[in-house]
């Protein structure tokens, strides 16, 4: 997607210069609710004799890997462990990067679901279909039990997005899956924000309450007007500060990743045209059940598809979903990411990959499992703009790692150990390293933890 | 059926392992590995005549007159049975015009009977067959605290009606409500069962000809279901059972089978806060007969695959893999009273068979061939036709 680089950076320079005179609104920034995350202290670890899948398509048998200072210090066949390193026997087990989930509602659609009350639900700010100024991090409940199930399934990093009720739904946030008491204490330092947009049936559901938008036409018209307003705002340094327009203007400058919930191929096409018209980049279409119909355009425009393995048919715009979606996109050199959206999948994204690979093989698209592992590791890292720090087993990257009891694509395997920044956050054999959160405290589930 | 009209298109998709002769009545599947026989046990030959299994033996002598299929040492199982779906009653959840699963708006209560709304041409049925499903129980849904009606047993055969048996059970839904109290629902159920002048489906339950299907998740509701069983002596099938592990010995003693989502491990509702991933394993160990289904979006739309992979996941939490397979074949056959014709690979049973590409509980495994009542299931479904239309150049 072509970003109108020249004009948007010129606008930014101009706006900054004017703002510096103190006559107009302050320089635009999205900084707020700063991250207070601190990596947990950790000793050096050496994992020995393990099958290593690097998240970039590579596989090394009988590998050793050294974690030091929270980073992946070294890996390969011959590594000498420092004397103070804790030794972990990886025999028969598999080491992968930590799983990264780009689409969750953790902490905002908190378990248990309760439909009779809004108490559990902070997903959509449904006061207006255009709410770019709202931030999901201001609603995040770190006691959501789903977080801990995701951790036990190997998820080390996740993005929380606003829901799809609004045509422009607000800012998401990327988080580290470590237990915390606040959103800020889990917020991934330096990760760019994501902006949620939505196509189709969900935003037009305002019509059920006799409010606009009533149709796809209305959804798109509202979105175009919002982007036009953002351009005008960026061009007018004297306009009063508007937090929502600050967000859209930042997206026009390429500083915010745009994530759009879209199912139908025609919806995605309209959205890509809109992005080109106003000069913002779409990072990914989420759900994208018809992405397999337009893989070439998605590849050309460098837009990712964040998909489920096989959901289909619960609504009209999902009617054409097929389980080969991910495999067909991959075969056409389009970017694929597997996402969860719901906790039931969030702890089992490895199995989602297995299902998608199986469907591809059945259709004659043979994708290796180490390659497909990228769909839940290195590719989502790139999509979230944190690929220099995490998402693959690469020397110098954060030691966000999962040690699986066996083949991670077998239903019989479990995550044995989960590391975030080199710290052991989850240990299947140690109840003291199985965080559950305060909501589940005293509830009628007896040990062992899930 | 849709797939009949477009069967020609399906040739593209037929796996090279075998050749299909769609009109053949007889069949021999050779080199079949029964799941889960010991690794060193002999492969078998499964003979089929007129849609029924006539012989299962290690004898590999070929018979010229029949269609022969080489399973090549792959696992063969009975086609699977899903014990709670709305197959044939729902096409699209969000499109009310395609939903016939609830009688709530008609105040029919126990008299609501899904058989009259069954759509045998549902595209979901084609997809379910391709996923290896041969049997399904299709049940009414609706609000909690009352009877929601009579379910049916489906045999997903391609050569006749899929409605195998109506009045498969009368559903009473207990559990959490968004208004009122679950206590009122149990009171109403006791009233109905005590009523000397009960309406027709309830009299069938009291007479023992129709089981009472109780959906219950929380321990307190499961305990109420056990109390109903003890007080009235009627057959009860429990569906849901997320906290059933807490009453496993009592359920076993009361001979109440439990239909559950095998991979369920999340406290998704207040009623299921006590759910455990090893629920299926704990129930099985206590001697409770368990059968499986899928949940949420998967209930009917991925009724085969979601249940099968979920059963596999249950084995990661202690369930024996034979028990996991039985919960999709042998156990539901008994629970739903169709064990005379289904549930095992043995002479006399309907030839409902799946040849799998690998371990039938693995996500990476797919059906290689599916037979229902001896007929090969073609690969023509709406899914398959879409995938053919949009197959990438590199895979053509």
């Amino acid at each position: 997607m072509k970003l109108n680089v020249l004009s948007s950076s010129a606008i930014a320079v101009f706006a900054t210069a004017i703002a510096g005179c103190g006559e107009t609104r302050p320089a635009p920034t999205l900084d707020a609710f700063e991250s207070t995350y601190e990596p947990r202290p950790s000793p050096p670890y050496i994992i020995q004799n393990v099958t290593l899948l690097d998240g970039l398509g590579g596989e090394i048998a009988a590998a050793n890997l050294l974690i030091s200072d929270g980073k992946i210090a070294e890996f390969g066949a011959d590594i000498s462990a420092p004397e103070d390193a804790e030794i972990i026997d990886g025999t028969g087990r598999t080491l992968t990067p930590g799983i990264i989930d780009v689409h969750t509602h953790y902490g905002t659609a908190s378990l248990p679901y309760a439909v009779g009350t809004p108490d559990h639900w902070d997903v959509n700010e449904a006061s207006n279909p255009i709410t770019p100024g709202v931030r999901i991090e201001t609603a995040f409940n770190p006691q959501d039990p789903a977080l801990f199930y995701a951790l036990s399934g190997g998820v080390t990093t996740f993005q929380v997005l606003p829901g799809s009720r609004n045509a422009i739904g607000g800012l998401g946030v990327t988080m580290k899956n470590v237990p915390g008491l606040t959103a800020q204490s889990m917020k991934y330092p330096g990760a760019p924000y994501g902006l949620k947009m939505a196509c189709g049936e969900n935003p037009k559901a305002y019509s059920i309450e006799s409010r606009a938008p009533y149709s796809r036409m209305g959804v798109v018209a509202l979105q175009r007007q919002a982007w036009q307003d953002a351009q005008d705002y960026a061009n007018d340094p004297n306009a009063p500060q508007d937090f929502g327009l600050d967000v859209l203007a930042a997206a026009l400058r390429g500083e915010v990743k745009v994530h759009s919930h879209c199912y139908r191929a025609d919806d995605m096409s309209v959205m890509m045209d809109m992005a080109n018209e106003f000069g913002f980049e779409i990072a990914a279409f989420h759900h994208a059940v018809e992405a397999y119909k337009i893989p070439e355009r998605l590849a050309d425009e460098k837009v990712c598809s964040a998909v489920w393995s096989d959901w289909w048919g619960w609504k009209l715009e999902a009617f054409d979903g097929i389980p080969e979606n991910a495999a067909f996109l991959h075969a056409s050199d389009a970017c694929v990411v597997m996402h969860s959206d719901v906790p039931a999948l969030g702890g089992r994204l490895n199995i989602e990959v297995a299902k998608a690979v199986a469907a591809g093989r059945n259709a004659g698209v043979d994708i290796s499992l180490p390659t497909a592992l990228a769909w839940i590791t290195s590719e989502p890292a790139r999509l979230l703009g944190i690929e220099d720090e995490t998402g693959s087993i690469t020397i110098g990257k954060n030691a966000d790692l999962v040690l699986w009891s066996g083949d991670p694509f077998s239903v019989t395997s479990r995550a044995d150990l989960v590391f975030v920044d080199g710290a052991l956050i989850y240990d299947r054999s140690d109840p003291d390293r199985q965080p559950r959160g305060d909501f589940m405290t005293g509830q009628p589930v007896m040990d062992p933890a899930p | 059926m849709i797939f009949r009209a477009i069967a020609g298109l399906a040739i593209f998709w037929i796996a090279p392992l075998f050749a299909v002769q769609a009109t053949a009545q007889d069949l021999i599947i050779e080199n079949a590995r029964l799941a889960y026989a010991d690794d060193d046990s002999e492969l078998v030959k499964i003979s089929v005549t007129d849609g029924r299994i006539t012989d299962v033996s290690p004898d590999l002598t070929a018979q010229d007159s029949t269609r022969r299929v080489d399973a090549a040492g792959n696992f063969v199982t009975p086609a699977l049975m899903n014990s709670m779906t709305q197959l044939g009653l729902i096409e699209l959840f969000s499109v009310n015009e395609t939903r016939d699963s609830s009688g709530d708006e008609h105040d029919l209560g126990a008299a609501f009977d899904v058989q009259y709304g069954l759509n045998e041409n549902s595209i979901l049925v084609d997809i379910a067959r391709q996923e290896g499903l041969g049997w399904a129980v299709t049940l009414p849904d609706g609000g909690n605290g009352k009877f929601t009606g009579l379910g049916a047993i489906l045999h997903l055969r391609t050569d006749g009606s899929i409605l195998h048996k109506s009045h498969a059970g009368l559903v009473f839904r207990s559990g959490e409500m968004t208004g009122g109290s679950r206590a009122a629902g149990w009171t109403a159920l006791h009233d109905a069962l005590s009523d000397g002048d009960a309406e027709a489906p309830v009299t069938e339950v009291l007479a023992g000809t129709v089981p009472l299907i109780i959906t219950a998740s929380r321990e307190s509701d499961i305990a109420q279901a056990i109390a109903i069983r003890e007080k009235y002596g009627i057959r009860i099938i429990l569906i849901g059972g997320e906290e059933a592990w807490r009453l496993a010995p009592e359920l076993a003693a009361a001979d109440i089978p439990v239909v559950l989502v095998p991979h369920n491990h999340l406290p998704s509702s207040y009623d299921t806060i006590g759910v455990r991933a090893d629920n299926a394993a704990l129930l099985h160990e206590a001697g409770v007969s368990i059968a499986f289904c899928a949940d949420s979006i998967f209930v009917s739309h991925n009724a085969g695959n979601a249940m099968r992979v979920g059963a596999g996941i249950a084995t990661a939490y202690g369930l024996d893999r034979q028990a996991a397979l039985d919960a999709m074949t042998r156990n539901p056959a008994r629970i739903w009273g169709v064990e005379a014709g289904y549930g095992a690979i043995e002479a006399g049973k309907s030839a409902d068979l799946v040849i799998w590409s690998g371990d039938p509980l693995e996500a990476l495994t797919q059906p290689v061939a599916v037979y229902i009542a001896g007929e090969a299931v073609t690969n023509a479904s709406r899914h398959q036709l879409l995938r053919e239309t949009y197959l990438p150049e590199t895979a053509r």
Side-chain angles (χ1 to χ4, degrees):
Chain A
M1 189 151 305
K2 281 183 196 163
L3 179 63
N4 196 341
V5 176
L6 274 181
S7 68
S8 59
S9 44
I11 289 162
V13 169
F14 178 67
T16 307
I18 296 292
C21 300
E23 295 169 352
T24 55
R25 68 174 187 264
T29 174
L30 302 184
D31 291 346
F33 310 105
E34 273 180 41
S35 173
T36 59
Y37 171 77
E38 293 282 348
R40 306 296 190 267
S42 72
Y45 291 99
I46 183 153
I47 303 166
Q48 296 180 329
N49 194 33
V50 74
T51 300
L52 186 155
L53 305 180
D54 67 6
L56 300 166
E59 175 172 1
I60 306 174
N64 302 311
L65 181 140
L66 176 65
I67 299 171
S68 182
D69 294 328
K71 307 289 183 190
I72 297 167
E74 201 178 351
F75 64 89
D78 296 309
I79 292 180
S80 53
E83 279 186 12
D84 59 341
E86 287 192 16
I87 296 171
I88 297 167
D89 183 8
T91 305
R93 305 202 271 185
T94 302
L95 187 69
T96 70
I99 291 173
I100 301 176
D101 191 347
V102 298
H103 189 119
T104 79
H105 299 290
Y106 293 146
T108 54
S110 295
L111 296 179
Y113 298 136
V115 296
T117 165
D119 291 7
H120 287 259
W121 199 254
D122 283 299
V123 177
N124 294 295
E125 180 47 48
S127 54
N128 187 306
I130 303 288
T131 56
V134 307
R135 293 163 175 256
I136 204 72
E137 63 193 313
T138 59
F140 183 81
N141 171 13
Q143 304 295 348
D144 180 359
L147 292 163
F148 311 103
Y149 292 90
L151 180 66
S152 71
V155 173
T156 55
T157 306
F158 59 90
Q159 178 172 238
V160 187
L161 287 168
S164 49
R165 182 77 190 278
N166 287 349
I168 298 179
L171 285 182
V173 66
T174 297
M175 297 206 161
K176 305 235 187 197
N177 200 5
V178 294
L181 294 178
T182 63
Q184 294 92 323
S185 68
M186 300 168 67
K187 187 174 179 180
Y188 198 112
Y193 279 106
L195 172 66
K196 181 72 176 288
M197 295 181 69
C199 304
E201 290 172 17
N202 288 11
K204 80 172 186 173
Y206 270 91
S207 62
I208 294 168
E209 299 166 5
S210 297
R211 300 158 69 195
Y214 288 80
S215 70
R216 284 179 160 79
M217 295 184 289
V219 173
V220 173
L222 286 169
Q223 289 168 335
R224 289 183 71 228
Q225 189 61 56
W227 289 109
Q228 185 60 54
D229 291 349
Q231 283 192 344
D232 294 346
Y233 177 75
N235 285 328
D236 178 6
N238 295 313
Q241 184 158 27
D242 181 308
F243 291 135
L245 292 174
D246 278 340
V247 169
L248 296 182
L252 289 171
R253 294 194 303 273
E255 296 168 6
V256 168
K257 302 273 189 179
V258 177
H259 298 275
S260 187
H261 157 119
C262 289
Y263 288 82
R264 280 184 2 201
D266 54 293
D267 283 338
M268 290 186 258
S269 173
V270 167
M271 192 64 76
M272 286 187 281
D273 283 358
M274 186 193 308
N276 290 336
E277 177 185 2
F278 292 97
F280 64 92
E281 290 185 70
I282 299 171
F285 289 118
H286 289 237
H287 315 330
V289 300
E290 289 191 9
Y292 69 92
K293 296 183 180 180
I294 53 167
E296 292 82 7
R297 171 123 197 240
L298 292 165
D300 288 348
E301 303 262 14
K302 297 186 168 37
V303 179
C304 244
S305 297
V307 302
W308 298 288
S309 70
D310 57 2
W311 282 22
W312 77 283
W314 70 100
K315 59 198 304 201
L316 181 59
E317 63 188 1
F319 194 42
D320 288 1
I322 60 172
E324 294 83 2
N325 195 21
F328 284 8
L329 287 162
H330 184 93
S332 302
D333 296 321
C335 166
V336 180
V337 162
M338 307 295 293
H339 67 5
S340 71
D341 195 23
V342 296
L345 303 185
R348 289 169 180 154
L349 281 170
N350 50 321
I351 301 303
E352 283 295 284
V353 171
K355 288 162 76 177
V357 167
R361 288 178 179 173
N362 206 34
V365 175
D366 200 352
I367 301 166
S368 81
L369 291 166
T371 299
L373 178 62
W375 299 346
I376 53 173
T377 55
S378 57
E379 288 295 298
R382 196 162 60 80
L383 183 52
L384 296 176
I386 52 177
E387 70 273 24
D388 292 340
E389 296 184 12
T390 189
S392 67
I393 296 182
T394 303
I395 289 171
K397 281 198 182 178
N398 296 342
D400 298 338
L401 299 164
V402 185
L403 183 64
W404 302 88
S405 61
D407 173 1
F409 301 106
S410 168
V411 291
T412 61
S413 294
R414 305 266 303 271
D416 282 346
L417 303 176
V418 181
F419 299 88
V420 177
D421 284 322
L424 184 58
I425 305 297
Y426 173 84
D427 181 345
R428 184 155 76 97
S429 66
D430 180 1
D432 291 337
R433 284 193 206 266
Q434 294 168 1
R436 313 274 296 262
D438 291 344
F439 184 85
M440 293 305 287
T441 297
Q443 299 281 11
V445 188
M446 292 156 62
D447 286 333
Chain B
M1 297 267 167
I2 289 171
F3 68 87
R4 285 273 161 89
I6 53 184
L9 294 173
I11 290 166
F12 193 75
W13 297 109
I14 288 168
L17 188 61
F18 64 96
V20 166
Q21 300 164 29
T23 57
Q25 293 300 303
D26 298 339
L27 170 72
I28 290 181
I29 299 175
E30 295 177 338
N31 298 315
R33 182 181 302 279
L34 297 180
Y36 282 101
D38 294 338
D39 287 345
D40 54 355
S41 63
E42 269 183 299
L43 302 180
V44 302
K45 177 187 72 172
I46 304 166
S47 303
V48 173
T49 304
D50 293 333
R52 294 205 168 265
I53 298 168
T54 50
D55 185 50
V56 181
S57 70
D59 179 6
L60 293 175
T61 307
Q63 295 177 18
D64 294 337
S65 60
T66 56
R67 176 166 50 140
R68 289 164 57 198
V69 173
D70 184 359
N74 281 306
F75 279 118
V76 178
T77 70
L80 307 180
M81 182 168 191
N82 184 318
S83 289
M84 188 205 68
T85 73
Q86 274 93 45
L87 273 176
L89 305 176
I90 294 180
E91 294 292 283
L92 288 159
F93 282 119
S94 69
V95 179
N96 287 338
E97 288 82 347
T98 73
R99 295 180 61 134
D100 292 292
S101 53
S102 171
D104 280 0
E105 290 184 21
H106 307 283
D107 291 330
L108 282 170
F112 178 70
D113 188 342
V114 298
Q115 69 170 314
Y116 302 117
L118 190 69
N119 175 16
E120 305 221 6
N121 293 326
S122 167
I123 62 171
L124 279 67
V125 173
D126 292 334
I127 292 164
R129 288 190 191 102
Q130 287 182 334
E131 292 181 348
L133 209 63
W135 292 74
V137 180
T138 194
L139 296 176
D141 58 17
N144 287 352
K146 59 191 175 188
F147 290 119
T148 60
L150 291 157
I153 297 170
L154 308 182
H155 184 194
L156 305 182
R157 53 196 307 150
T158 60
D159 59 346
S161 172
I162 63 173
L163 178 62
H164 179 78
K165 184 181 188 301
S166 64
H167 292 225
L170 173 62
V171 178
F172 174 82
R173 292 181 63 92
S174 75
E176 64 188 25
M177 304 170 78
T178 55
S181 164
R182 76 189 71 211
W186 289 111
T187 304
L189 179 57
H190 278 286
D191 287 350
L193 294 171
S194 310
D195 184 354
D197 194 22
E199 56 182 329
V202 178
T203 57
E204 291 177 76
V205 166
L206 290 167
T209 55
V210 169
L212 181 62
I213 300 168
I214 297 179
T215 70
S217 299
R218 199 173 80 177
E219 181 185 2
S220 74
D221 286 328
I222 296 167
Q224 291 301 323
I226 295 171
I228 294 277
R229 162 87 173 143
E230 288 168 351
K231 181 170 182 183
Y232 302 98
I234 55 179
R235 283 168 60 212
I236 287 177
I237 298 167
L238 194 72
I239 291 189
E242 283 83 353
E243 292 189 355
W245 62 273
R246 300 179 67 89
L247 291 170
E250 292 84 352
L251 287 163
D255 196 21
I256 296 178
V258 179
V259 173
L260 67 148
V261 178
H263 59 275
N264 200 343
H265 68 313
L266 292 172
S268 298
S269 72
Y270 275 92
D271 270 13
T272 66
I273 282 176
V275 69
R276 287 173 59 134
D278 53 359
N279 191 22
L282 294 173
L283 290 169
H284 173 68
E285 284 164 19
V288 178
S289 178
I290 54 171
F292 290 158
C293 61
D295 66 345
S296 69
I297 281 171
F298 299 123
V299 165
S300 306
H301 288 74
N302 302 66
N305 224 29
M307 173 185 69
R308 179 177 67 82
V309 175
I313 290 170
T315 68
Y317 296 85
L319 184 66
D320 173 75
R321 67 176 181 166
Q322 183 68 55
L325 184 61
D326 287 349
M328 302 183 288
T329 53
R330 187 182 304 270
N331 296 359
R334 287 200 199 108
I335 291 167
W336 299 105
V338 295
E339 72 271 29
Y342 165 73
I345 297 179
E346 59 190 38
K349 307 287 196 206
S350 177
D352 307 321
L353 300 163
V354 184
I355 306 173
W356 301 95
S357 66
D359 186 324
L361 294 174
E362 282 290 354
L364 282 165
T365 298
Q366 296 252 323
V368 174
V370 181
Y371 300 90
I372 302 181
E375 294 283 335
V377 170
T378 74
N379 280 327
S381 71
R382 193 168 180 280
H383 271 179
Q384 234 82 3
L385 295 170
L386 282 167
R387 98 177 185 191
E388 182 180 348
T389 302
Y390 295 99
L391 191 70
E393 285 297 329
T394 51
R396 285 186 189 274

